[in-house]
Amino acid sequence: MSPSVCLSCIFALLLSPLLYAIGGNDSGLGSVSDLPDSLIDIDHVYEYTYSDFDKAKIIMEELRKRGEETEYDLDRTEGDLYYNSGHYFTAIKYYGRLMRQDSLSHDPHAYMESIHRMISCYDCLHDEENGSRYINLLFKVSEKEGSRVMESIAMFGIGKMLYHQGDKERAFYHLNEAVKMMEESDYKYKFDNLAYEYNTLLVLLMREGSYEEALKILDKLQLLTSGGDEGDVVKMENLPDKEKKTYFAQRAVLLFKLGRTKEADEAYASWRSIGDKYAKDDYLIVPYLMDKKEYATVISIYKKQEAFLKEHSDTITYHMKMVQHILGDAYNAIGDYEKASQYYKQLSVLVDSLKMREQKSTALEMAEFYDKSEREIQLQEEKNRVRTRTQMFLSVSVVAVVLLVLFIYSIMNARRARRKNLAMVRTIYELISCKDDLEKARARLLMMSGDPAKEISGGDSGPDDQTDLSDFCEVRNKEDEAGVADLKAKMQDETIESEELAGDRSIFELLDSKITKEKLYLNPSLSREDLVRFSGLNRNRLAKVINRNTGLSTIGYVNKKRLEYAVGILMKHPEYKIAAVAEMCGIPNVPTFNRLFRTKFGMTPSEYKRVR
């Protein structure tokens, strides 16, 4: 990929008004006749992209007319031309054509580079849906080809998406892992990608208030720019004044945020020592000046910026928006509310104007895009008519094979989907049935006179309301051993078996209520002995009570509770890893968790996540 394509979209967006202005200037070159042959090559397209966009376009058109370059090189270069000048819709068109080139099927590296270009475009357009699609594609291809570099680029894209979605912890994990992978690589454009990634991290960390981490990234960025090695001190003597000024400004801002006022002031002094050169970047020092309440200096800097923009008729830009916003804040801070109000009003009008300009620019770009597409379609149709007769048989054969493969695949996929859906239906039905059985059991207990379950649910049974599970079960054990004479008197028509069943049902109701309410099953070390201890039952009686009411063993009953809890987690949080879910539900051994889950629900947890 061309180094210019790897620049941060943040800077591309900041530069876009300037780039459009450059592109709109009359270069005095209306046609290729004004250009010497020595300029008609791909290198000069890149050279004039920023300095003379019109000239770059003329060179590009002549290159296509001459047909001396391959379609791959032409599409890549023209896509880069429009991307680097902020015409992202048009760039996508040429990058899309690039990905359809036959030569890419034999060159996985070039294919991944093309995907990278598509990701960059959609990133600048803030199109998360298409950006995500190409990031996933790059992940798959890079994994297949074993390309750690392209995997790191895809991972960095995922990190940015997660950040904008609000999942900042996972976002910074992916971003840092991606940077580490790029640092360890020998990629051709390693330093360009690292410069982009460091700048992005610097902006995000400052936005989050992580100033210590941002300071480390700043030093890394400047070390990279100065050509130093890891572990070196930033080689300031190797930096041009422009880079020095940027470094000292950002360092002053970060150090002041960290409370290291003296060091921040020293960085500011170094910034000032460079003088008035590169004044257009002076906005970088403004956060420091605002924090220091040096509003007069801020106003001085931005009044010069405002005058310069007005002089060059560059007033409807994001640069002017920033200037007016800061001037409004500065005047407000010093109590000049009249001027502050004027700037805020101008800012409001400017925001509306910018929106209108963006809509107009997008409309014009899209119109140009479709006009060019229409002409190219006509030319392509002419070529296709020439090739159709010779390729017809092969095309029909290929289509037939593809359709057959797709048909077989669709049948297999439909069968798999049916099995998974049926398993899901069984799972849901089982959970609902379990809940219904529990409610029925509770209803039966409430109907039994003198039943402890009724007492716990709010019945008027006197002092016995405070009877806990252990006391109740101890009484039941004694009654069983003594023959439960008092119950026989109350229930003359009931058999001993039904009497015992009713008692077991009451015990289970209390036991299940305690386990469920307190979520004791989430403790991975919960054992039969623990249940015996707090239930007051002996080991055999406990197993008998649970089996009569659930059809399960003691451990099977506990694991059933755990698995139902796991299903709830997977339904609410499908993004959780299986190991985390297993630990949360009380079965930390993942193979055991997978086996139990598959036995109960007919599918693994991973399959459940895919078809839920």
Side-chain angles (χ1 to χ4, degrees):
M1 176 177 283
S2 166
S4 57
V5 178
C6 299
L7 293 176
S8 170
C9 282
I10 297 170
F11 301 120
L13 290 172
L14 288 174
L15 286 170
S16 58
L18 177 61
L19 296 174
Y20 279 116
I22 290 171
N25 289 339
D26 185 2
S27 63
L29 296 169
S31 67
V32 72
S33 61
D34 299 315
L35 294 174
D37 283 347
S38 60
L39 293 183
I40 312 300
D41 59 39
I42 286 177
D43 288 340
H44 283 96
V45 174
Y46 286 105
E47 180 179 342
Y48 289 113
T49 294
Y50 294 110
S51 61
D52 195 333
F53 179 70
D54 286 342
K55 185 186 289 187
K57 283 176 64 177
I58 293 170
I59 296 172
M60 193 68 240
E61 289 171 4
E62 182 62 18
L63 285 172
R64 285 201 178 273
K65 288 179 183 177
R66 295 185 180 187
E68 296 173 357
E69 306 290 343
T70 65
E71 284 295 315
Y72 173 84
D73 288 333
L74 291 171
D75 286 339
R76 180 194 61 192
T77 304
E78 191 154 8
D80 290 350
L81 170 64
Y82 284 105
Y83 173 84
N84 292 328
S85 58
H87 297 77
Y88 304 119
F89 288 110
T90 308
I92 286 172
K93 166 192 162 182
Y94 289 105
Y95 290 155
R97 284 177 27 167
L98 186 66
M99 292 187 64
R100 293 191 293 273
Q101 295 283 344
D102 293 337
S103 58
L104 259 65
S105 62
H106 307 293
D107 190 345
H109 179 74
Y111 182 55
M112 288 186 287
E113 292 280 12
S114 301
I115 299 172
H116 185 189
R117 283 175 159 85
M118 295 293 282
I119 293 171
S120 298
C121 281
Y122 286 120
D123 185 23
C124 291
L125 289 169
H126 306 289
D127 187 340
E128 291 190 4
E129 182 177 353
N130 283 305
S132 174
R133 182 159 58 91
Y134 280 99
I135 287 171
N136 289 331
L137 177 59
L138 186 57
F139 255 129
K140 291 179 182 179
V141 179
S142 63
E143 185 178 22
K144 179 182 177 182
E145 299 298 329
S147 174
R148 294 274 292 170
V149 167
M150 289 298 163
E151 184 181 347
S152 76
I153 290 171
M155 186 178 293
F156 197 85
I158 287 288
K160 286 184 66 178
M161 290 177 60
L162 288 171
Y163 181 86
H164 293 303
Q165 291 169 5
D167 193 347
K168 296 178 181 178
E169 183 177 351
R170 290 176 63 204
F172 280 110
Y173 171 79
H174 282 81
L175 291 171
N176 287 318
E177 284 296 307
V179 169
K180 183 180 179 181
M181 291 168 66
M182 184 61 69
E183 288 172 339
E184 296 171 351
S185 76
D186 57 356
Y187 184 38
K188 181 178 178 181
Y189 300 117
K190 168 182 176 178
F191 296 105
D192 298 292
N193 277 275
L194 281 176
Y196 160 59
E197 292 174 357
Y198 286 158
N199 273 305
T200 302
L201 268 177
L202 182 63
V203 171
L204 297 182
L205 288 168
M206 289 178 69
R207 187 180 298 172
E208 294 302 309
S210 301
Y211 302 118
E212 287 283 5
E213 292 300 315
L215 194 60
K216 294 176 184 177
I217 295 296
L218 177 61
D219 285 337
K220 278 190 173 185
L221 179 60
Q222 296 310 319
L223 185 63
L224 179 74
T225 308
S226 67
D229 296 322
E230 189 172 356
D232 289 350
V233 178
V234 176
K235 299 181 178 180
M236 298 306 298
E237 67 274 9
N238 293 344
L239 290 174
D241 285 343
K242 185 178 186 303
E243 291 293 337
K244 287 180 183 177
K245 200 169 185 181
T246 297
Y247 174 76
F248 287 129
Q250 292 172 325
R251 186 171 177 82
V253 171
L254 289 171
L255 289 171
F256 194 87
K257 294 289 187 185
L258 290 167
R260 294 158 63 177
T261 308
K262 183 178 179 182
E263 294 175 78
D265 293 342
E266 290 172 355
Y268 177 55
S270 298
W271 179 86
R272 291 189 61 184
S273 68
I274 298 173
D276 295 331
K277 293 186 292 185
Y278 313 108
K280 71 181 183 67
D281 293 332
D282 286 353
Y283 68 90
L284 293 171
I285 199 66
V286 168
Y288 165 82
L289 296 173
M290 292 293 282
D291 287 342
K292 292 276 289 185
K293 299 182 179 180
E294 296 186 15
Y295 303 118
T297 307
V298 172
I299 291 172
S300 174
I301 289 173
Y302 273 103
K303 289 293 286 185
K304 292 177 183 178
Q305 295 275 349
E306 182 185 32
F308 177 84
L309 293 174
K310 287 181 177 179
E311 180 183 349
H312 291 80
S313 299
D314 191 17
T315 56
I316 306 178
T317 64
Y318 282 97
H319 194 177
M320 179 60 86
K321 176 185 173 183
M322 177 177 64
V323 168
Q324 291 184 346
H325 187 277
I326 295 296
L327 283 172
D329 288 348
Y331 277 117
N332 186 64
I334 64 174
D336 192 339
Y337 303 119
E338 182 178 353
K339 286 188 177 180
S341 176
Q342 291 175 1
Y343 277 106
Y344 288 144
K345 287 179 181 178
Q346 293 174 17
L347 179 62
S348 176
V349 173
L350 177 59
V351 169
D352 292 337
S353 299
L354 283 170
K355 288 181 180 178
M356 292 178 64
R357 172 183 274 193
E358 286 177 351
Q359 292 171 357
K360 183 177 179 180
S361 298
T362 301
L364 290 173
E365 183 181 345
M366 292 301 292
E368 180 183 1
F369 170 83
Y370 285 115
D371 286 344
K372 287 185 176 181
S373 297
E374 188 65 29
R375 290 195 298 270
E376 289 171 356
I377 288 172
Q378 292 174 359
L379 292 173
Q380 189 63 39
E381 286 177 350
E382 289 294 331
K383 294 179 181 179
N384 288 341
R385 278 194 288 271
V386 175
R387 293 183 297 180
T388 297
R389 292 188 185 125
T390 56
Q391 294 181 343
M392 182 62 72
F393 178 77
L394 180 61
S395 298
V396 171
S397 301
V398 170
V399 170
V401 171
V402 171
L403 288 175
L404 179 61
V405 171
L406 289 175
F407 178 71
I408 295 173
Y409 177 78
S410 64
I411 292 176
M412 295 175 64
N413 204 34
R415 289 179 178 175
R416 284 196 296 268
R418 176 177 172 78
R419 287 197 297 269
K420 291 176 180 178
N421 288 338
L422 287 174
M424 180 60 69
V425 170
R426 287 197 301 270
T427 300
I428 295 173
Y429 178 77
E430 184 176 347
L431 290 173
I432 293 174
S433 297
C434 180
K435 182 179 179 181
D436 290 344
D437 289 344
L438 181 61
E439 292 300 326
K440 290 176 182 178
R442 286 176 176 169
R444 287 196 298 269
L445 286 171
L446 288 172
M447 294 173 63
M448 294 175 62
S449 174
D451 193 288
K454 181 177 180 181
E455 296 172 5
I456 289 177
S457 66
D460 297 329
S461 299
D464 289 337
D465 286 349
Q466 303 302 317
T467 303
D468 61 16
L469 179 61
S470 299
D471 294 339
F472 175 68
C473 293
E474 184 178 351
V475 170
R476 286 294 184 179
N477 284 330
K478 291 178 180 180
E479 289 174 346
D480 290 340
E481 295 170 1
V484 290
D486 56 334
L487 290 178
K488 287 182 179 179
K490 289 183 178 181
M491 306 176 69
Q492 297 178 1
D493 298 331
E494 293 290 331
T495 62
I496 295 176
E497 182 179 1
S498 64
E499 179 182 321
E500 185 177 349
L501 286 172
D504 287 351
R505 192 178 302 115
S506 299
I507 293 172
F508 176 77
E509 179 69 10
L510 288 174
L511 178 64
D512 184 67
S513 176
K514 180 177 179 65
I515 292 173
T516 302
K517 183 176 181 180
E518 298 182 15
K519 295 184 179 180
L520 299 176
Y521 53 86
L522 297 183
N523 180 2
S525 61
L526 183 67
S527 63
R528 292 188 185 90
E529 286 69 24
D530 293 327
L531 295 176
V532 166
R533 186 172 60 256
F534 73 71
S535 70
L537 299 173
N538 59 50
R539 186 186 182 99
N540 292 334
R541 181 66 190 285
L542 175 66
K544 187 175 181 181
V545 167
I546 290 176
N547 183 260
R548 276 183 169 178
N549 286 275
T550 66
L552 299 170
S553 65
T554 303
I555 296 302
Y557 161 73
V558 173
N559 283 338
K560 176 176 176 290
K561 290 280 188 183
R562 290 167 172 167
L563 293 172
E564 289 172 354
Y565 186 80
V567 167
I569 295 174
L570 290 171
M571 289 179 68
K572 293 180 181 178
H573 301 285
E575 75 277 9
Y576 283 9
K577 293 184 178 180
I578 300 302
V581 175
E583 186 171 354
M584 290 171 68
C585 77
I587 310 176
N589 185 286
V590 175
T592 301
F593 176 64
N594 284 332
R595 175 175 56 79
L596 293 173
F597 197 98
R598 187 181 186 90
T599 300
K600 180 170 179 58
F601 299 117
M603 63 178 71
T604 65
S606 297
E607 291 171 336
Y608 178 86
K609 288 174 67 176
R610 289 194 294 269
V611 302
R612 68 177 184 81

